[in-house]
Amino acid sequence: MQALWNKLEFYQAFISELSEENWKDFRDFFYSYKAGLSENPDVNNIEIDFSSNEYKIENEGYMCGYQEIFPYCKTFKVKFDNITYLIYDQYCLASTCNCTDAGLSVIEIPENGDRIRDGYDATSIVYDYKEGKREIKREDKRAKYSIQKIFEKLHRENPDIDNIFRNRHNNFRRIYLNYRRKYKSNRSITNNTGRKVGRNDPCPCGSGKKYKYCCGA
């Protein structure tokens, strides 16, 4: 017990000596470390319960937000003068789909931080990070800057963003397919043509491995 009290006294003394600048450094390190883990997670040791969304993922094209699973991951921002645009990314995880699309929500935030306007609707885009093509599904007609300008600046400031989207998509797919493999009940997995995947076929998760050595193991 005495040893415990000695440790507590040491910690309290240590904390009392920390300046605001020290605390800021600790916070910066913490968030940077967590962000790094979010981009390179150990997918085989992450268990997520997708049961509430699995039907929508498999049958309705439901996209899952990366920030929902990894809240400390980098959020992309584009700033023009007194307006900031936040870009949130979502991904298709369906086991029958091999798409290279990211669903992007582009949210305009004025300088005062208030993004809620009457009738506000964030711009929604499907972006093919492999081909570099985008399709606007819903557009905020009152946004001050065009999607073209936002994307140009986004790529200029984040030249590796397509690789980040690809990496996030692959990580998310593996986590979801690990869940499917663990909890599946006589499900047959098919590829994006609707044909049942053979054991020697490429795995539909996009890993590059044969199905029998990956999700069909």
Side-chain angles (χ1 to χ4, degrees):
M1 179 63 81
Q2 185 60 44
L4 177 60
W5 279 112
N6 290 340
K7 286 184 178 180
L8 289 174
E9 289 176 355
F10 169 77
Y11 294 147
Q12 289 171 347
F14 176 76
I15 290 172
S16 68
E17 294 295 320
L18 294 176
S19 66
E20 283 299 318
E21 188 65 28
N22 295 144
W23 281 113
K24 181 181 181 302
D25 289 341
F26 276 126
R27 285 193 296 269
D28 290 346
F29 173 79
F30 172 79
Y31 287 119
S32 176
Y33 178 72
K34 294 288 281 187
L37 291 179
S38 298
E39 301 302 339
N40 298 285
D42 182 358
V43 297
N44 292 320
N45 286 316
I46 296 176
E47 289 195 16
I48 304 296
D49 183 2
F50 291 93
S51 59
S52 61
N53 291 319
E54 186 175 6
Y55 180 84
K56 292 189 292 183
I57 291 172
E58 293 295 325
N59 299 284
E60 299 177 1
Y62 179 81
M63 286 186 162
C64 299
Y66 200 75
Q67 284 84 356
E68 295 176 23
I69 306 300
F70 299 103
Y72 293 101
C73 71
K74 178 179 180 179
T75 298
F76 295 101
K77 301 178 182 180
V78 173
K79 187 169 184 178
F80 296 95
D81 301 322
N82 62 342
I83 294 179
T84 298
Y85 292 90
L86 300 182
I87 294 95
Y88 293 99
D89 46 323
Q90 306 98 37
Y91 301 94
C92 168
L93 305 180
S95 59
T96 58
C97 182
N98 290 325
C99 75
T100 53
D101 293 338
L104 304 180
S105 296
V106 182
I107 302 173
E108 181 182 276
I109 300 180
E111 188 175 30
N112 61 13
D114 182 13
R115 71 168 182 264
I116 306 301
R117 305 193 306 260
D118 290 339
Y120 179 79
D121 216 357
T123 294
S124 177
I125 300 168
V126 174
Y127 175 64
D128 186 332
Y129 52 77
K130 181 179 180 181
E131 301 295 334
K133 298 178 181 178
R134 62 181 181 270
E135 179 184 356
I136 298 176
K137 294 294 187 179
R138 183 179 62 240
E139 186 172 7
D140 176 9
K141 298 295 186 181
R142 289 185 285 178
K144 185 174 180 180
Y145 292 91
S146 69
I147 289 299
Q148 178 68 29
K149 286 187 176 181
I150 293 171
F151 259 73
E152 286 175 355
K153 191 168 186 180
L154 177 66
H155 279 81
R156 191 163 59 247
E157 295 177 350
N158 303 274
D160 61 340
I161 194 168
D162 289 347
N163 287 330
I164 293 175
F165 288 153
R166 180 183 297 106
N167 185 57
R168 289 182 176 186
H169 200 174
N170 287 336
N171 288 337
F172 221 161
R173 271 188 172 135
R174 296 305 302 273
I175 292 169
Y176 174 69
L177 288 171
N178 283 344
Y179 157 81
R180 292 265 296 175
R181 181 167 56 186
K182 183 173 182 178
Y183 296 104
K184 68 184 178 182
S185 55
N186 299 320
R187 298 190 187 104
S188 63
I189 297 181
T190 59
N191 59 21
N192 59 354
T193 66
R195 183 178 66 83
K196 184 176 179 181
V197 177
R199 288 185 56 74
N200 289 310
D201 290 339
C203 187
C205 76
S207 66
K209 299 178 182 179
K210 289 185 177 181
Y211 175 65
K212 66 182 179 182
Y213 294 129
C214 192
C215 295

